[in-house]
């Protein structure tokens, strides 16, 4: 069975509790539940994780790559700062779709640059929690395409 690992970075555990005007009112547990339903209808195994620690995310990216699982990554603020996450993706060969709830290009200038984007398959952002669904579906669709070719 194909697996998709959904990895969430710092402060995303606060989702739904603060700054609803930017991030909405859906909690991270709600996001996990939505994706679990999607995963079961597509017969995909879902691994859903969050950490406030950069090294955990590095370990989990490597783990996903080793398992041949696709990765949906919302690296939070590490998106804009972390060479370590970029290196983890590039070095392990992880197949990553970068995700953001907000449109980072419509926000402060320091959020316009992503260390993840150049090593990701693609980026989906600005659609709130729907960004996760779209990224998940993109990885599923790519999996299907790979199976047929
Ligand atoms: O829009 C996104 O998904 C971000 O990755 C969210 C990060 C931010 O640093 C990125 O620039 C864009 C922030 C995650 C913090 O999430 C919170 C959620 C609710 C309340 C406070 C923080």
């Amino acid at each position: 069975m194909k697996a998709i690992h959904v990895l969430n970075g710092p402060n995303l555990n606060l989702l739904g509790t603060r700054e609803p005007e930017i991030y909405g009112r859906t909690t991270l547990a709600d996001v996990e539940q939505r994706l679990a339903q999607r995963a079961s209808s597509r017969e995909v195994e879902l691994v859903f994780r969050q950490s406030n620690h950069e090294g955990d995310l590095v370990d989990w990216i490597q783990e996903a790559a080793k398992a041949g699982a696709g990765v949906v990554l919302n690296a939070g603020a590490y998106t804009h700062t972390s060479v370590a996450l970029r290196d983890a993706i590039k070095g392990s060969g992880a197949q990553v779709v970068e995700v953001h709830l907000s449109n980072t290009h419509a926000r402060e200038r320091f959020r316009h640059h992503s260390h993840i984007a150049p090593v990701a398959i693609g980026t989906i952002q600005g659609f709130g929690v729907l960004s996760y669904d779209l990224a998940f579906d993109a990885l599923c669709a790519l999996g299907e395409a790979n199976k047929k070719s």
Side-chain angles (χ1 to χ4, degrees), residues 1 3 5 27 29 37 41 57 74 94 99 101 109-110 115 124 131 135 143:
M1 186 195 267
H5 294 200
T27 67
Q37 280 175 4
S41 70
L57 295 163
N74 186 347
V99 154
L101 296 153
R109 204 171 170 77
F110 66 84
H115 285 287
I124 298 173
S131 294

Side-chain angles (χ1 to χ4, degrees), residues 54-84:
E54 193 175 14
D56 286 342
L57 295 163
V58 168
D59 288 345
W60 293 342
I61 287 165
Q62 291 183 11
E63 186 184 315
K66 208 168 167 189
V71 178
V72 173
L73 176 64
N74 186 347
Y78 289 144
T79 303
H80 318 298
T81 63
S82 180
V83 175

Side-chain angles (χ1 to χ4, degrees), residues 9-20 22-24 74-80 99-104 107-108 110-111 125-126 132:
N11 297 309
L12 284 159
N13 53 312
L14 299 176
L15 197 63
T17 66
R18 307 261 167 82
E19 302 188 70
I22 302 174
Y23 299 115
N74 186 347
Y78 289 144
T79 303
H80 318 298
V99 154
H100 299 287
L101 296 153
S102 62
N103 176 357
T104 58
R107 300 183 64 190
E108 304 94 326
F110 66 84
R111 296 187 201 275
Q125 60 172 299
Y132 282 81

Side-chain angles (χ1 to χ4, degrees), residues 103-142:
N103 176 357
T104 58
H105 297 287
R107 300 183 64 190
E108 304 94 326
R109 204 171 170 77
F110 66 84
R111 296 187 201 275
H112 295 184
H113 179 261
S114 167
H115 285 287
I116 310 300
V119 291
I121 301 170
T123 299
I124 298 173
Q125 60 172 299
F127 298 96
V129 294
L130 185 60
S131 294
Y132 282 81
D133 297 343
L134 296 171
F136 191 89
D137 285 353
L139 278 175
C140 288
L142 288 174

